Amino acid sequence: MSEAVTRTATTSPGLLASLDPLLREWLPRQRWFAGKGRPVTGFSLVTATELMPSGGQLALHHLLVRAHQPSTLGAAPHPGDCYQLLIGEREALPPRLAPALIGHVDQGPLAGRTVYDALYDARAAHLLLEALRSRARIGGLRFERDPRQEIREGLVPRVVTAEQSNSSVVYGDTFILKLFRRIVPGINPDLELPLALAREGCPRVPAPTGWLRAELAGESYALGVLQPFVQGADDGWELALRELAKGQDFGAETRELGRATAEVHTALARALPTVTLGHTQVQLLVDGMIERLDAAAQAVPALRPYAPGLHSAFTAVADLAAEGRTWTAQRIHGDLHLGQCLRSPAGQWSLIDFEGEPSKPLAERRMPQPPARDIAGMLRSFDYAEHSADVPVPGWAETCRDAYCSGYAEVSGHDPRTDPVLLRAYETDKAVYEVLYEARHRPDWLPVPLSAVRRLASSDPS
Ligand SMILES: Nc1ncnc2c1ncn2[C@@H]1O[C@H](COP(=O)(O)OP(=O)(O)O)[C@@H](O)[C@H]1O
Ligand SMILES: O=P(O)(O)O[C@H]1O[C@H](CO)[C@@H](O[C@H]2O[C@H](CO)[C@@H](O)[C@H](O)[C@H]2O)[C@H](O)[C@H]1O
């Protein structure tokens, strides 16, 4: 039986008091910390599960903690985001774990110990895989797996060091475990949609092998997903930049990517409910786009001169709806861009990361939406890639755009270019989002979405 299965879960009293000052400093520095720009004023424990007991050379605590922060000006009071932490505790940290250091504890029950992000620790990562393999239940934690998929023993773990919204560990190039960092109760689309696609037999998304949940006070929280690792894959963004650097046409690849996107959309429409959006629903959708534009223009002055033109991109959709036009909405990826696509060495595309935009509430992320939203996301990505090339390759994004839409039409029977008003609205909505995103995270990149904004504000699709 695995080490994890034999453990009983106990909550070490005062654990959080020990960690509090260190976490206040460490948590806001993490890429996945969602509350950037506001100080952390304290923590409360949602649940703590001891995965390896204190007292030994190494102890391991699984924590869900709520980080308290002051609300943004004018916003309603917020209980604070809940984060998943895997905290290792040792007397001293071996050099290989130095990048994972959280700090040296000088108060409470852990005084004198060194604590660190245990995902970097092979023993902790191994324990998680072992728990999934043996379908362990530890305290409120439920380690589950698809009984038809085997998990081999002894796979060597390595943490993925890329900047991410969550944290992932690769096991022997066979599996990848993504642990969600910001946790909300309810069904997480990053597990829900790949499971639905697997049931449909759609090979464009790695089928979940296992998953980790917490059952707390009658509510279920998705904490992580284990899925097959696509070996030797290139991510679409890196691949696009490489082709651009060589001045190469990316049309054949993007046509295949269009086909893959359509396969996923078609399978999702079969697997999960679709709805027809009439006038009222479309008006709500347009209102949302306008609200996001107004908020972004408020925050980024460079956007303001283009606001009226962008506004008309949205109202054009409402006008069509007022004339009786309807659209079909279905479950979609929700945050599709080149970085969410993997191409295997055999040339097969897979789509990953079905979480949607993590900053949006779960209910909103799980709502059916027109597939044009995903397509627009990808078209924006081609434009980003062309603007990021060291040597200009004029017309590169336009070629990708046409090839992608053609590939999409070949599989789905619907060419997104035949609905230019909706496509322009979604491209505009995404570009507005990107302006805000870049202003906050990568100001050097701001000119990329701003140039799209200029174009979209003056274009007339009719
Ligand atoms: N099934 C997979 N096979 C190979 N690499 C993967 C797989 N899933 C994710 N990755 C790699 O891990 C990175 C992060 O995964 P992603 O699901 O986008 O996480 P996040 O939600 O943290 O952004 C991806 O950019 C990709 O490089
Ligand atoms: O981290 P996520 O994948 O959830 O997405 C966020 O970061 C992306 C950047 O890493 C950002 O994407 C934008 O830049 C990409 C190039 O780096 C480009 O391919 C995308 O088209 C563009 O939107 C994304 O918007 C943001 O949500």
Side-chain angles (χ1 to χ4, degrees):
M1 204 184 251
S2 77
E3 199 172 13
V5 188
T6 58
R7 298 283 165 242
T8 51
T10 51
T11 304
S12 163
L15 176 68
L16 202 55
S18 270
L19 296 174
D20 184 303
L22 299 176
L23 290 181
R24 278 186 204 219
E25 205 269 315
W26 177 80
L27 191 67
R29 283 192 280 117
Q30 306 311 301
R31 155 73 155 94
W32 39 263
F33 178 68
K36 296 234 162 57
R38 287 173 293 139
V40 175
T41 52
F43 296 97
S44 53
L45 193 62
V46 177
T47 182
T49 309
E50 202 174 64
L51 296 177
M52 280 187 207
S54 288
Q57 187 220 10
L58 159 68
L60 189 60
H61 307 273
H62 179 281
L63 303 184
L64 295 182
V65 293
R66 207 170 279 294
H68 301 292
Q69 297 186 271
S71 308
T72 34
L73 208 61
H78 185 263
D81 288 322
C82 175
Y83 292 94
Q84 173 171 216
L85 308 178
L86 195 62
I87 305 286
E89 174 204 325
R90 290 176 182 252
E91 234 165 74
L93 222 49
R96 68 172 192 287
L97 290 176
L101 177 72
I102 296 177
H104 307 286
V105 184
D106 59 12
Q107 61 182 52
L110 303 192
R113 305 281 280 176
T114 300
V115 291
Y116 61 100
D117 182 352
L119 261 195
Y120 286 76
D121 189 333
R123 277 187 67 187
H126 177 255
L127 186 146
L128 294 178
L129 189 70
E130 194 50 31
L132 287 166
R133 210 176 65 79
S134 58
R135 298 196 218 157
R137 284 174 163 231
I138 310 170
L141 301 182
R142 304 278 179 272
F143 294 83
E144 293 165 350
R145 76 169 158 84
D146 177 347
R148 293 160 305 179
Q149 294 194 52
E150 282 303 314
I151 301 174
R152 256 193 309 121
E153 277 183 88
L155 296 169
V156 178
R158 70 177 155 84
V159 82
V160 176
T161 49
E163 293 274 283
Q164 282 182 241
S165 312
N166 296 289
S167 295
S168 303
V169 182
V170 174
Y171 292 92
D173 277 1
T174 305
F175 294 110
I176 180 164
L177 172 65
K178 167 148 102 175
L179 284 189
F180 303 125
R181 286 301 195 166
R182 198 166 66 89
I183 304 298
V184 286
I187 296 169
N188 188 319
D190 211 3
L191 177 59
E192 179 195 24
L193 297 187
L195 279 176
L197 288 163
R199 280 197 301 274
E200 287 297 319
C202 175
R204 300 304 199 157
V205 174
T209 309
W211 46 92
L212 169 58
R213 291 187 302 115
E215 285 296 336
L216 299 171
E219 292 206 274
S220 183
Y221 293 70
L223 300 181
V225 188
L226 180 78
Q227 54 172 240
F229 185 74
V230 184
Q231 284 182 23
D234 283 310
D235 97 45
W237 174 253
E238 297 298 335
L239 194 64
L241 291 190
R242 278 216 305 272
E243 297 302 295
L244 262 163
K246 292 188 267 177
Q248 295 256 326
D249 176 81
F250 202 43
E253 291 298 351
T254 45
R255 177 180 224 107
E256 283 307 311
L257 193 51
R259 294 180 64 93
T261 309
E263 278 181 45
V264 169
H265 280 168
T266 309
L268 285 175
R270 270 199 314 266
L272 295 162
T274 63
V275 292
T276 300
L277 302 181
H279 187 203
T280 312
Q281 292 95 330
V282 172
Q283 189 59 55
L284 283 174
L285 204 136
V286 167
D287 289 348
M289 291 174 169
I290 292 172
E291 260 172 47
R292 289 190 285 275
L293 169 61
D294 291 347
Q298 188 76 26
V300 188
L303 191 56
R304 288 180 202 158
Y306 308 105
L310 301 177
H311 200 269
S312 69
F314 302 145
T315 49
V317 178
D319 292 347
L320 286 183
E323 289 163 16
R325 173 77 203 267
T326 60
W327 282 272
T328 301
Q330 61 161 92
R331 297 299 299 281
I332 60 168
H333 181 282
D335 190 19
L336 197 59
H337 56 81
L338 279 164
Q340 313 280 37
C341 308
L342 299 176
R343 201 196 62 158
S344 74
Q348 293 288 316
W349 283 104
S350 305
L351 307 191
I352 56 166
D353 199 1
F354 282 74
E355 201 179 14
E357 279 174 22
S359 57
K360 297 248 167 78
L362 205 58
E364 199 178 318
R365 289 193 258 148
R366 293 187 62 227
M367 262 168 17
Q369 302 180 65
R373 176 154 179 228
D374 276 352
I375 294 157
M378 194 62 85
L379 301 183
R380 289 290 314 119
S381 225
F382 301 146
D383 184 59
Y384 254 74
E386 183 179 313
H387 278 83
S388 309
D390 291 333
V391 182
V393 184
W396 186 91
E398 198 57 35
T399 307
C400 292
R401 185 186 178 93
D402 283 335
Y404 181 76
C405 290
S406 300
Y408 190 90
E410 282 160 18
V411 171
S412 70
H414 170 71
D415 189 327
R417 290 167 295 187
T418 60
D419 196 356
V421 172
L422 189 66
L423 199 56
R424 177 186 175 218
Y426 272 115
E427 281 184 82
T428 305
D429 190 40
K430 180 74 184 187
V432 166
Y433 165 86
E434 288 165 346
V435 165
L436 199 57
Y437 177 87
E438 303 301 2
R440 283 192 181 143
H441 298 277
R442 309 186 292 193
D444 289 356
W445 289 59
L446 192 52
V448 178
L450 274 179
S451 76
V453 155
R454 257 193 305 279
R455 178 170 44 78
L456 287 159
S458 56
S459 70
D460 179 359
S462 53

